[in-house]
Amino acid sequence: MRDSTRDRPAAPDRPAGGPIGGYTTLRLGGPAGHLVVADDEATLLEVLRAPHPEGLFVLAGGSNVVVADEGFPGTVLLLRTRGVRAVADGADRVRLTVAAGEPWDEVVARAVADGLAGIECLSGVPGSAGATPIQNVGAYGQEVAETIVSVRAFDRVADAVVTLAPDECAFSYRTSVFKHNDRFVVLAVDFSLTVSPLSTPIRYAELARALGVSPGDRVPLGAVRDTVLKLRTGKAMVLDPADPDTYSVGSFFTNPIVSSAVFAGLSERLGDVPHWPAPDDAVKLSAAWLIERAGFPKGFTREGTGVGISTRHTLALTNRGAGTTTQLLDLAREIRAGVAERFGVDLHPEPVLINCAL
């Protein structure tokens, strides 16, 4: 790989960085070596093209990152670009071009208000629009891969702005070509949404029950958004500065996908195991169910630490206000080991780990 920073001008002057945790929903993490804010694309590209001998970390909403207690020695780039443009895309579709720094839930709220269906079930998901393709954000039966038609990004290897089609994004369950890969920095995302006052067909059983409808039914967009927000709030999945139970990265572990043979063995041993079909004749299991039955209930914590499992959602590991990243990762390791010992199933972290490892 060639050095894409050679013979470039230095980055703009930037101050020494303070704690990174204040820019994340976990509120954990040590200092940055340097900190710079990019609120327009020209500044963003200038910083991306400059040399960063100790590394560059791009941070937007901070809702899906875990930062080491030691912080990050290089440059932390706070992505704060804004802008949403809507263009008709045929008779019944609208194409939304969204700048990477736009707060995601504001994008969803606008789409619902404008009668555009396709992302309503993703209401209340924290973070920025630019983060959504990185881990193919999904919730309550929808995921962004279903509506993304292109991603505009800066290719740090080619030193060029590129546009990637959905197949080039390599979307899969909670991942993409952008995750765990510092080659691309997302600049903007294009979504194709349906002009309709009604939602896409409701797929998620819990949401259907809460709405009082059957799976496959379509209901007013506003009702879906309101109901999803209530469900997420009840699980402490909507950030509330006054509630440490929401100081998390949402689901810390992804739902594991196992072979049909592994699932058959679990079912034979345990009886009714919550599951969903997955591609290639695989089976998706409930990480929350596995964690609880491995001995880690809601509210679980270790004495003397400032972290624990959320009192309202087993998959959320929370900072109780006085925790550390080290404590959080120790808890995650304990949970992962307990599930592996009890069920023989490996759990994988959903957030991006910065200068630390699980």
Side-chain angles (χ1 to χ4, degrees):
M1 183 181 297
R2 71 183 180 87
D3 181 359
S4 59
T5 63
R6 187 174 298 160
D7 300 325
R8 290 183 182 160
D13 290 340
R14 51 193 185 271
I20 306 171
Y23 300 103
T24 73
T25 54
L26 258 176
R27 304 190 179 195
L28 294 177
H34 297 283
L35 194 68
V36 60
V37 179
D39 55 12
D40 61 78
E41 192 168 296
T43 301
L44 175 59
L45 291 175
E46 184 179 2
V47 176
L48 292 175
R49 285 187 161 118
H52 302 281
E54 296 188 82
L56 173 68
F57 167 40
V58 180
L59 181 64
S63 63
N64 197 49
V65 295
V66 179
V67 181
D69 293 319
E70 296 76 19
F72 182 75
T75 299
V76 173
L77 170 60
L78 295 178
L79 197 158
R80 297 293 184 263
T81 54
R82 294 288 189 271
V84 179
R85 182 166 60 94
V87 177
D89 186 19
D92 64 347
R93 301 194 72 82
V94 166
R95 190 176 186 127
L96 284 189
T97 300
V98 185
E102 279 286 340
W104 173 248
D105 191 53
E106 293 181 15
V107 176
V108 179
R110 170 176 173 161
V112 169
D114 291 347
L116 302 176
I119 55 175
E120 58 279 358
C121 294
L122 304 179
S123 294
V125 173
S128 68
T132 61
I134 294 174
Q135 79 163 41
N136 186 17
V137 164
Y140 294 102
Q142 285 181 342
E143 59 183 21
V144 292
E146 298 167 344
T147 53
I148 289 177
V149 290
S150 68
V151 176
R152 190 164 169 269
F154 179 70
D155 184 337
R156 298 175 69 190
V157 173
D159 187 21
V161 174
V162 297
T163 299
L164 283 74
D167 61 335
E168 296 174 294
C169 296
F171 290 124
S172 187
Y173 175 60
R174 300 299 173 267
T175 192
S176 70
V177 71
F178 309 106
K179 193 169 183 179
H180 306 305
N181 179 359
D182 63 0
R183 174 174 177 173
F184 298 104
V185 176
V186 176
L187 304 176
V189 187
D190 276 18
F191 301 88
S192 181
L193 304 179
T194 303
V195 178
S196 172
L198 299 179
S199 68
T200 58
I202 301 299
R203 301 173 184 163
Y204 203 76
E206 180 187 14
L207 178 58
R209 288 194 299 270
L211 286 163
V213 300
S214 299
D217 287 350
R218 301 174 66 200
V219 298
L221 292 173
V224 174
R225 174 169 170 78
D226 289 346
T227 302
V228 168
L229 287 173
K230 288 176 183 175
L231 288 172
R232 291 184 65 88
T233 299
K235 299 174 182 178
M237 289 296 196
V238 175
L239 188 63
D240 179 355
D243 182 3
D245 219 24
T246 69
Y247 297 179
S248 76
V249 290
S251 297
F252 192 92
F253 295 105
T254 58
N255 288 323
I257 296 176
V258 300
S259 69
S260 55
V262 169
F263 172 69
L266 286 172
S267 297
E268 183 178 351
R269 180 159 57 97
L270 302 171
D272 187 18
V273 178
H275 65 283
W276 302 269
D280 302 320
D281 198 33
V283 180
K284 184 189 297 183
L285 304 178
S286 167
W289 188 90
L290 295 171
I291 290 168
E292 288 203 38
R293 279 151 187 79
F296 303 97
K298 296 181 182 73
F300 177 89
T301 189
R302 285 295 181 210
E303 187 176 353
T305 72
V307 300
I309 295 177
S310 167
T311 63
R312 288 174 277 173
H313 195 306
T314 313
L315 278 181
L317 306 189
T318 64
N319 167 23
R320 302 291 175 82
T324 67
T325 300
T326 299
Q327 292 173 352
L328 187 88
L329 294 178
D330 284 345
L331 175 60
R333 293 185 191 102
E334 182 180 358
I335 292 169
R336 183 178 62 180
V339 169
E341 181 179 0
R342 174 76 173 82
F343 301 107
V345 174
D346 292 327
L347 295 181
H348 298 281
E350 187 166 322
V352 176
L353 307 181
I354 304 301
N355 203 27
C356 56
L358 186 61

